[in-house]
Amino acid sequence: MRVIDVPTLERPREKIIEYGVNNLTDSELLAILLSSGTKEKSALEVAFELLLKVGNLYNLENIHLKELQEIKGIGLAKAATIMAAIELGRRIFLSTTSNKINFSSSLDIYQYSRYLFHGKKQEYFYCFYVDSKKDLIASKLLFVGTINRSAVHPREIFKEAYKNSASAIICVHNHPSGVVTPSKKDIEFTNDLIKIGIFQGIPILDHLIVSEDKYYSFGENKISS
């Protein structure tokens, strides 16, 4: 069905005005971003085809520009609009009204960080830099790939701590496999960081390994080599 054939109050833009944006379906929201379709397909049809391609809305988060352009009806401009909307949504989610994020527990760290890794197929290693009250000062993605000292030098981790005048560091990385049990390299790397942190006077408060629905905390488990 073409958008022109849809009753006026059932068209995406008109539905926002009449019923509110929260009453639109995923495909209707995407159709508004697309703005128009092709001669053969409406914007709604292109949006629905996009959702079929990715499987579900959550998978849209990690789609690439070229993948979007593979769908007929989505050129560079429309693909860029969708990518911008996804990134804007991510930034809104990760922000807070007070701009203060406190990590008083490992669960707090997990709940804040888990969405950074959604759908990721590689390991991503982040450091959160906190003040003496464990309030977040800055976060930094330091590397992508298997965790080991050859991939990222502790110097990079502590350099950012000095740059941000941090009192302590929290490390977080994901296991795309879903298994959060630390590997031998995870344990060795964490122990190295803990020792350096003690020497530098900037302690490693915790190191979390996360998956989509669970986490492992070195701080909670007190693992050592």
Side-chain angles (χ1 to χ4, degrees):
M1 181 181 288
R2 299 174 301 167
V3 172
I4 197 171
D5 296 324
V6 177
T8 301
L9 290 181
E10 291 302 314
R11 297 175 190 172
R13 288 188 183 87
E14 285 75 8
K15 281 183 72 174
I16 287 182
I17 297 167
E18 186 68 19
Y19 307 117
V21 69
N22 58 317
N23 285 295
L24 270 66
T25 64
D26 296 341
S27 55
E28 287 171 335
L29 290 170
L30 283 170
I32 290 175
L33 291 175
L34 292 170
S35 181
S36 62
T38 67
K39 288 182 180 180
E40 298 82 20
K41 296 183 292 186
S42 70
L44 273 170
E45 289 173 306
V46 175
F48 189 68
E49 187 176 329
L50 171 56
L51 288 176
L52 284 177
K53 177 181 176 66
V54 298
N56 59 62
L57 190 64
Y58 294 106
N59 292 336
L60 196 61
E61 181 183 0
N62 296 295
I63 198 165
H64 297 291
L65 201 66
K66 288 185 179 179
E67 291 178 281
L68 286 169
Q69 291 178 271
E70 289 171 0
I71 297 174
K72 190 174 181 182
I74 301 181
L76 177 59
K78 291 179 181 179
T81 298
I82 292 171
M83 296 288 286
I86 293 168
E87 180 59 27
L88 185 61
R90 182 186 292 114
R91 293 185 188 188
I92 291 170
F93 181 84
L94 292 174
S95 67
T96 63
T97 54
S98 66
N99 289 324
K100 270 196 174 182
I101 299 165
N102 182 263
F103 296 130
S104 59
S105 70
S106 298
L107 182 60
D108 288 339
I109 301 166
Y110 172 66
Q111 290 177 334
Y112 174 78
S113 65
R114 60 185 296 196
Y115 297 101
L116 294 172
F117 305 105
H118 177 73
K120 295 294 188 288
K121 305 302 181 187
Q122 290 179 281
E123 289 188 14
Y124 284 66
F125 185 93
Y126 282 85
C127 280
F128 300 149
Y129 298 96
V130 300
D131 61 19
S132 58
K133 296 179 180 179
K134 300 182 182 178
D135 288 337
L136 180 66
I137 298 172
S139 63
K140 180 80 172 180
L141 173 62
L142 285 171
F143 72 93
V144 179
T146 304
I147 181 171
N148 57 60
R149 287 194 63 159
S150 63
V152 59
H153 197 283
R155 176 180 59 244
E156 300 302 317
I157 295 172
F158 288 92
K159 180 176 75 175
E160 291 295 326
Y162 284 113
K163 186 188 298 184
N164 290 284
S165 300
S167 297
I169 303 169
I170 295 167
C171 303
V172 185
H173 83 278
N174 63 319
H175 278 182
S177 66
V179 178
V180 295
T181 304
S183 67
K184 183 179 179 181
K185 284 185 177 179
D186 290 332
I187 295 169
E188 290 174 350
F189 186 70
T190 302
N191 285 329
D192 286 346
L193 290 181
I194 289 170
K195 292 171 186 174
I196 296 170
I198 292 170
F199 179 77
Q200 297 283 352
I202 307 175
I204 302 295
L205 290 184
D206 205 344
H207 180 187
L208 265 64
I209 301 170
V210 306
S211 68
E212 294 281 351
D213 57 359
K214 55 184 176 291
Y215 71 93
Y216 178 94
S217 162
F218 281 88
E220 289 178 351
N221 289 276
K222 306 294 183 186
I223 272 208
S224 60
S225 56

